[in-house]
Amino acid sequence: MAAFDNKTVIHTMGINNCGGRCIIDAHVVDGKITKITTDNTEGTPEHPPLRACVKGFHYHETFLNEEKRLKKPLIRTGKRGSGEFREAEWEEAIALITKEWIRIRDTYGPASRYVHYAWGVSGVLRPLDLAKRLLSLDGGFQDYYNSYSTAAIHYVTPYLYGTKYVGSSFSDLLHSNLIILWGHNPADSKFDTLMYYLSLAKKQGIPIICIDPRRHATAKILDAEWIGIRPTTDAALADALAYVMITEDLYDRAFIERYCQGFTAATMPEGYEGEEDYFSYCLGKSDGVPKTPEWAEQITGIDAETIRDLARRMAAAKPMAILQGYGAQRNQNGEQSVRGGILLACLTGNVGVPGGSAGGSQLLENPPVPEMQNPENPVKEKIPVYRWTDAVADGRIKMIFNLAGNALINQHGDINRTKEILADESLCEFIVCSDLFMTASAKYADVLLPGISFLEMNNMTSPWIQGDFIGFNNKVVEPIGDGRFEYEWLKEIAGQLHLHKEFTEGHETADEWLEALYEELRTEQPLLPDYHSVREKGIYRYEVPQKVAFREQREHPETVPFDTPSGKIEIFSTKLFALHDPAVPAIPKYVPAVEGYEPAGKGHTETYAACPLQLIGYHTKRRCHSIHGNNELMDKIETPAVYLHLKDAKERGIGDGDLVLVYNARGKMKLPAKVTEDLVPGVAAISQGAWYQPDETGVDVGGNINVLTSLHVTPLAQGNAQHTNRVEVRKF
């Protein structure tokens, strides 16, 4: 920190799950933040700037709003979900939690306890990890796998490559001749420093194409070509692009034959020679339906000639990078969208070459950062994270810890069904929440504890997807009210359970843990600077070499195989074949989705005639998920609205700004309409994360899309499919 002009500047970093990490310099006068500045350097391709967006400049106004903050522990007095509480002292709240902790453990067993998915704090010390630590020491808990964000893409990518770490350095994009952003909007979702490199690529004259139902901020800022596509139809587009490359002999035959399994009959694995290969499927030899651009036009809404032109450009641009975002894989057939993108990366021979890409998850193994290692959880079975409501409804989960998160209600699908499950106290018997504000999720707590923000404590953070730093979250101001970091009260419960020594390992404060974890890393990374000096500076940046995914496999195929059963990229997967599930075929192919564009889901939840519009959510600059949702100053950026194409609005007699009702069988919401041509016809779009606010009739007036989303899951990963919904919109 530095003092000047009677002010103090404290260096810290953003710590929320916004898709990036930004440098935050807090200017403090008399214990109050007066303004926030950030990294204003130009940066270099080796060390890009870690610059705050509009959310970062409003952190203090959001988090330090004393009028809205929770200041004391609260114990529920009314019906669960009513928001009726009484104030309590910490001693009473901790005693009640400990009592229920022991009762539920002894009555139902350790696996009846669940720590909910939460990313309000994404630092080295995360509240949910601390709770899991204590539960593991006390017999265990019901854990989960996957995330709300990336279930399908992280789960299915290893079926093709043998690993989910298939990303190349963003700086490698500067060697590309064409960049395809498929369901990817880093201008709003951040994605670390990707937008910095895309801007450099644009300056170099590298063409950029955005494939998405929306002409989003990234497409506009980069003046990129936009190809609008109907939601859930991405794999059909991939099939048609492959058809053009195959029939016009544009694909990289040598790469496919050398590195891939199952593209043609000749490359099928031993014992599967008679099964369907991709070549036969794409040409219609196995099902009688050639996957022509005309076939795909009827499904995707993209003109056949546009598809042909795109295929030719993709094949000719060597190297070419396909960057798959997380939007398309949050559809009900999300795994197939991912596999289609990977297939095209292989067909064009762009795997393992500078300026190319492998498609898929884009994950990159970053330099090491401090990390707390928790004890092994004695409970081995895990559930898919998006199906936790099923585990509550069938009586498996009796106690929930929802710490620093709003996915208990606000960010989970089908809010009305979720409320119904949680309100039944015969199912989940006890819920503990910690938060800064009275969120929709906090209202369902039996004990609600006041937390503290990253501006009120010390922590450390690391890159989101890829980066070169260890960031220090230095305490800027004193905690508001009686707020506590979760470690403080979990430590007291550990004492009641006679587990204090094991839980703390001698570290009585979170600060002691941070220093110990950093020093432990220094034994492996002796070039790291002294803890206190780097903490004062706020950041340490590694020198990270540029990485090209699978370069070694490409250059040394005989000695460096892919980490799959065959040692090749598995276009045909014997593991998926063994499932015998039509929704998860052995090869990449288009599979219609329940509530998708085609009538595959007809009669499943509501008829297509009653709900003719596809509804998608999207990330917005205005919020990080639901964070900043109660900061009215951010309304200048975006207010809740449903976006409709001009054609769909005209058919319904809806004008720009009209109040409308958006509805399906799951719920209703009332909000203004925004009429645009930056959206494909037949689609409605609402930004995710708005705070749920039901009126007296149960109609949401806050703009929360999850009154309309479903609890459907993707077929393989059992992941979040919240972008696959059908609705109708009418003038209110």
Side-chain angles (χ1 to χ4, degrees):
M1 62 187 67
F4 61 94
D5 295 336
N6 299 317
K7 298 179 182 178
T8 301
V9 179
I10 300 177
H11 305 300
T12 185
M13 288 196 78
I15 199 172
N16 298 132
N17 188 31
C18 62
R21 302 287 182 265
C22 56
I23 288 176
I24 298 291
D25 290 334
H27 298 246
V28 181
V29 177
D30 297 329
K32 302 287 185 181
I33 298 177
T34 58
K35 70 174 180 177
I36 283 175
T37 56
T38 189
D39 182 355
N40 288 318
T41 65
E42 288 299 316
T44 66
E46 293 74 29
H47 293 298
L50 301 175
R51 196 171 293 143
C53 71
V54 66
K55 292 186 286 288
F57 289 114
H58 286 269
Y59 271 137
H60 59 308
E61 294 159 349
T62 295
F63 289 140
L64 304 181
N65 186 320
E66 295 197 31
E67 181 182 343
K68 296 179 179 179
R69 280 282 293 269
L70 298 173
K71 300 183 183 69
K72 297 278 288 184
L74 301 174
I75 295 175
R76 177 170 64 88
T77 57
K79 291 183 178 180
R80 188 182 284 167
S82 66
E84 297 173 9
F85 296 90
R86 65 172 175 83
E87 286 190 355
E89 297 302 320
W90 274 102
E91 293 77 11
E92 181 185 6
I94 289 170
L96 178 56
I97 294 169
T98 305
K99 175 185 173 184
E100 290 299 300
W101 178 301
I102 295 170
R103 179 186 70 81
I104 289 170
R105 178 198 65 194
D106 294 347
T107 304
Y108 301 106
S112 65
R113 304 174 299 183
Y114 182 71
V115 182
H116 202 281
Y117 180 86
W119 280 94
V121 176
S122 53
V124 167
L125 296 182
R126 290 181 63 201
L128 68 83
D129 290 333
L130 294 170
K132 288 181 177 182
R133 176 180 181 81
L134 183 53
L135 287 163
S136 292
L137 293 168
D138 187 48
F141 61 98
Q142 175 64 71
D143 206 354
Y144 58 76
Y145 62 90
N146 286 337
S147 74
Y148 277 54
S149 298
T150 60
I153 200 165
H154 285 181
Y155 199 92
V156 78
T157 296
Y159 279 89
L160 288 92
Y161 288 121
T163 176
K164 64 181 180 180
Y165 293 102
V166 302
S168 296
S169 302
F170 291 151
S171 57
D172 187 52
L173 292 170
L174 303 181
H175 301 298
S176 299
N177 287 324
L178 176 65
I179 299 171
I180 307 288
L181 297 176
W182 201 319
H184 212 334
N185 178 21
D188 287 342
S189 61
K190 291 293 287 182
F191 238 82
D192 285 314
T193 55
L194 176 56
M195 207 52 196
Y196 170 79
Y197 292 103
L198 290 172
S199 298
L200 292 181
K202 181 69 178 179
K203 289 178 182 177
Q204 285 184 200
I206 300 171
I208 300 172
I209 298 173
C210 296
I211 302 173
D212 200 282
R214 301 169 55 242
R215 184 171 179 263
H216 46 55
T218 301
K220 294 175 182 178
I221 291 170
L222 298 174
D223 193 25
E225 181 180 343
W226 173 50
I227 298 177
I229 187 172
R230 291 169 178 148
T232 74
T233 69
D234 305 88
L237 175 59
D239 286 340
L241 293 169
Y243 179 90
V244 175
M245 294 178 192
I246 291 169
T247 56
E248 297 186 8
D249 197 24
L250 301 175
Y251 71 99
D252 193 327
R253 188 187 300 266
F255 179 85
I256 287 289
E257 292 177 353
R258 180 65 187 85
Y259 298 94
C260 298
Q261 169 183 281
F263 180 71
T264 61
T267 58
M268 288 291 281
E270 186 178 350
Y272 296 85
E273 290 84 356
E275 302 300 337
E276 184 181 45
D277 60 86
Y278 185 80
F279 187 89
S280 298
Y281 157 75
C282 193
L283 296 185
K285 294 181 178 180
S286 56
D287 63 3
V289 182
K291 309 309 178 294
T292 65
E294 287 74 19
W295 165 83
E297 178 179 346
Q298 299 304 310
I299 299 168
T300 65
I302 303 171
D303 179 78
E305 285 308 308
T306 299
I307 295 174
R308 281 193 177 85
D309 177 66
L310 178 60
R312 293 164 184 161
R313 291 162 66 190
M314 291 172 70
K318 294 184 180 298
M320 181 268 298
I322 297 176
L323 303 185
Q324 295 186 270
Y326 296 160
Q329 60 93 47
R330 283 194 290 266
N331 277 308
Q332 198 264 335
N333 57 2
E335 291 93 356
Q336 295 308 101
S337 299
V338 178
R339 296 174 76 192
I342 293 174
L343 170 77
L344 294 172
C346 294
L347 274 185
T348 54
N350 280 296
V351 178
V353 298
S357 83
S361 62
Q362 295 182 55
L363 278 181
L364 191 65
E365 291 190 87
N366 289 309
V369 295
E371 183 178 4
M372 176 184 283
Q373 298 294 328
N374 274 350
E376 184 177 352
N377 180 10
V379 177
K380 302 306 177 187
E381 182 185 1
K382 295 183 179 182
I383 61 173
V385 65
Y386 196 66
R387 298 194 64 182
W388 66 269
T389 34
D390 293 339
V392 175
D394 66 18
R396 282 180 286 165
I397 291 175
K398 294 295 183 180
M399 184 177 191
I400 293 176
F401 290 88
N402 182 63
L403 310 181
N406 202 5
L408 193 68
I409 290 288
N410 208 81
Q411 300 301 102
H412 195 52
D414 198 349
I415 281 179
N416 287 316
R417 173 59 180 152
T418 302
K419 285 168 50 181
E420 183 181 300
I421 292 169
L422 291 178
D424 186 344
E425 296 178 43
S426 70
L427 297 174
C428 181
E429 296 181 6
F430 197 67
I431 299 175
V432 179
C433 291
S434 65
D435 214 312
L436 306 182
F437 305 103
M438 183 63 75
T439 66
S441 297
K443 290 179 180 178
Y444 279 77
D446 296 304
V447 175
L448 175 56
L449 304 174
I452 56 177
S453 73
F454 80 96
L455 297 170
E456 300 159 77
M457 62 172 291
N458 295 312
N459 210 328
M460 286 185 282
T461 193
S462 57
W464 195 69
I465 294 293
Q466 57 174 270
D468 61 1
F469 61 86
I470 299 172
F472 283 73
N473 307 103
N474 288 305
K475 181 179 176 180
V476 178
V477 296
E478 292 301 318
I480 290 174
D482 284 342
R484 293 187 185 181
F485 182 51
E486 284 75 5
Y487 183 71
E488 296 178 49
W489 56 265
L490 283 166
K491 182 180 64 174
E492 293 191 34
I493 293 175
Q496 297 294 316
L497 299 171
H498 308 292
L499 293 170
H500 180 272
K501 180 179 178 181
E502 295 86 345
F503 180 69
T504 65
E505 294 187 13
H507 307 305
E508 290 301 315
T509 67
D511 287 356
E512 291 176 18
W513 261 114
L514 291 171
E515 185 169 0
L517 293 172
Y518 183 86
E519 293 300 333
E520 183 179 335
L521 181 62
R522 283 186 77 196
T523 63
E524 304 169 14
Q525 302 287 323
L527 295 180
L528 283 175
D530 169 76
Y531 173 77
H532 294 285
S533 64
V534 73
R535 178 173 160 180
E536 180 87 6
K537 185 178 179 182
I539 191 169
Y540 172 77
R541 302 191 81 159
Y542 288 95
E543 295 298 327
V544 180
Q546 184 171 284
K547 178 177 175 58
V548 175
F550 303 121
R551 190 169 191 168
E552 291 187 356
Q553 286 87 343
R554 183 70 182 261
E555 295 177 352
H556 307 286
E558 299 297 336
T559 56
V560 188
F562 290 89
D563 194 18
T564 58
S566 66
K568 295 187 175 184
I569 302 167
E570 299 201 346
I571 293 174
F572 178 97
S573 169
T574 56
K575 290 181 179 180
L576 296 181
F577 178 85
L579 299 178
H580 300 292
D581 184 352
V584 192
I587 57 173
K589 63 167 67 173
Y590 169 62
V591 177
V594 171
E595 293 194 49
Y597 172 67
E598 294 190 281
K602 194 168 185 177
H604 185 88
T605 305
E606 60 272 319
T607 66
Y608 278 43
C611 292
L613 296 173
Q614 291 182 271
L615 173 68
I616 59 169
Y618 63 91
H619 288 267
T620 169
K621 287 184 176 70
R622 192 242 182 272
R623 290 181 299 274
C624 163
H625 302 296
S626 69
I627 295 172
H628 304 285
N630 64 339
N631 185 344
E632 290 86 355
L633 292 170
M634 300 289 280
D635 287 342
K636 295 176 182 177
I637 301 163
E638 181 187 89
T639 55
V642 55
Y643 286 79
L644 298 171
H645 188 272
L646 178 62
K647 174 179 176 292
D648 298 314
K650 281 185 175 180
E651 289 175 356
R652 290 161 176 78
I654 295 170
D656 190 62
D658 284 350
L659 193 63
V660 298
L661 190 72
V662 189
Y663 60 92
N664 60 22
R666 291 181 286 270
K668 300 176 181 178
M669 62 191 310
K670 184 169 58 177
L671 73 173
K674 294 287 186 182
V675 180
T676 181
E677 292 188 273
D678 290 334
L679 183 69
V680 297
V683 173
I686 300 172
S687 65
Q688 65 91 33
W691 283 29
Y692 172 59
Q693 298 176 48
D695 66 13
E696 63 279 0
T697 67
V699 175
D700 177 61
V701 296
N704 189 300
I705 191 174
N706 288 319
V707 299
L708 304 167
T709 60
S710 78
L711 295 175
H712 299 165
V713 293
T714 65
L716 179 64
Q718 301 285 285
N720 169 7
Q722 280 171 282
H723 290 338
T724 305
N725 318 279
R726 297 195 72 89
V727 298
E728 178 58 296
V729 181
R730 65 174 173 82
K731 198 169 180 178
F732 188 75

